[in-house]
Amino acid sequence: MPDISQIISDYGPWAIFTLVLIEDFGIPVPGETALISAALLASQGKMPITLLLPAAWLGAVIGDNIGYAIGRFGGRRVVVRYGAKVGITDRRLARIERFFARRGGAIVIVARFFVGLRQLNGIVAGIGCMAAPRFILYNAIGAALWVGVWGFGVYWFGQHFEQALEKFGPIVMYVGGGVAAVLAIGYVVWRFVWRRRRSGSRDRRSTSKTKN
């Protein structure tokens, strides 16, 4: 894609609406990255936050509903057949379907915060024939939370970070860098432990099936 910042600068909230909408029915475009970048620009007064947030929310809601319609009326076979061109493989779809089956419809609310789930949660909900009113409600709530965190949250952080930097100078950078490093290390450790547990669980299931 062309430089994302240039697209945002040229088209403003319309760019965010379009990118988020496209991402949310399975097309691999940087919708979340675009929202974060736009929120930072808004914190610098280069874009109206009052237009950015509704545009991102509408794009998220409409995009997921398009995904839901694709899954509901196209079915799993059609989604896998044509979705392979944009990375929607049978294996990937099956993994997310299992996740939905374990967690239920409420996963629609938090799915936006996870790569893969965000792009495919509407499609999987449609394939699973989740009731449309239920999906629309959960989808709207999830979109509001997601836009609140990555839209308004980044906007608020951008405004207050500059003020803190002017007031406290390099201390803010050191503290912020330290917190970011701790979070990054914690995430890596969590992923390592989670993968080991998952691998161990698979080995136990495999051993159990062999014995049976």
Side-chain angles (χ1 to χ4, degrees):
M1 289 188 64
D3 180 53
I4 193 73
S5 299
Q6 188 61 49
I7 294 176
I8 296 170
S9 298
D10 290 344
Y11 299 103
W14 283 107
I16 304 306
F17 170 82
T18 304
L19 290 170
V20 170
L21 183 148
I22 293 173
E23 182 190 43
D24 277 9
F25 62 86
I27 307 298
V29 300
E32 187 171 85
T33 302
L35 175 58
I36 293 171
S37 300
L40 287 173
L41 290 175
S43 71
Q44 300 167 9
K46 298 179 181 179
M47 183 180 300
I49 192 67
T50 53
L51 293 179
L52 172 63
L53 298 182
W57 182 80
L58 281 174
V61 170
I62 295 172
D64 257 5
N65 278 292
I66 292 174
Y68 177 87
I70 291 172
R72 186 67 179 265
F73 301 110
R76 194 177 194 282
R77 183 179 299 178
V78 171
V79 170
V80 172
R81 180 179 178 182
Y82 295 101
K85 298 177 181 179
V86 292
I88 305 177
T89 62
D90 182 74
R91 183 178 179 182
R92 186 181 182 192
L93 198 60
R95 185 170 66 247
I96 296 175
E97 284 175 320
R98 290 194 298 270
F99 191 74
F100 262 74
R102 291 198 306 269
R103 305 299 179 183
I107 194 62
V108 174
I109 294 178
V110 298
R112 295 187 176 278
F113 294 92
F114 299 90
V115 176
L117 285 177
R118 180 171 63 253
Q119 290 84 355
L120 297 179
N121 83 93
I123 292 175
V124 173
I127 291 174
C129 294
M130 179 185 290
R134 187 183 183 204
F135 175 77
I136 291 170
L137 175 62
Y138 286 173
N139 181 42
I141 294 172
L145 294 174
W146 180 73
V147 171
V149 171
W150 294 119
F152 183 77
V154 172
Y155 168 78
W156 182 91
F157 175 81
Q159 285 194 320
H160 289 77
F161 181 78
E162 288 188 1
Q163 295 173 3
L165 193 61
E166 291 176 1
K167 187 174 181 180
F168 299 105
I171 295 177
V172 175
M173 297 295 292
Y174 295 138
V175 172
V179 171
V182 169
L183 290 175
I185 293 171
Y187 175 76
V188 171
V189 171
W190 175 79
R191 289 286 294 180
F192 176 75
V193 172
W194 179 76
R195 285 182 176 179
R196 290 197 62 179
R197 287 181 178 177
R198 187 178 181 185
S199 177
S201 177
R202 286 178 176 174
D203 291 342
R204 285 193 294 271
R205 287 198 298 268
S206 178
T207 302
S208 177
K209 289 180 180 179
T210 302
K211 289 181 179 180
N212 293 334

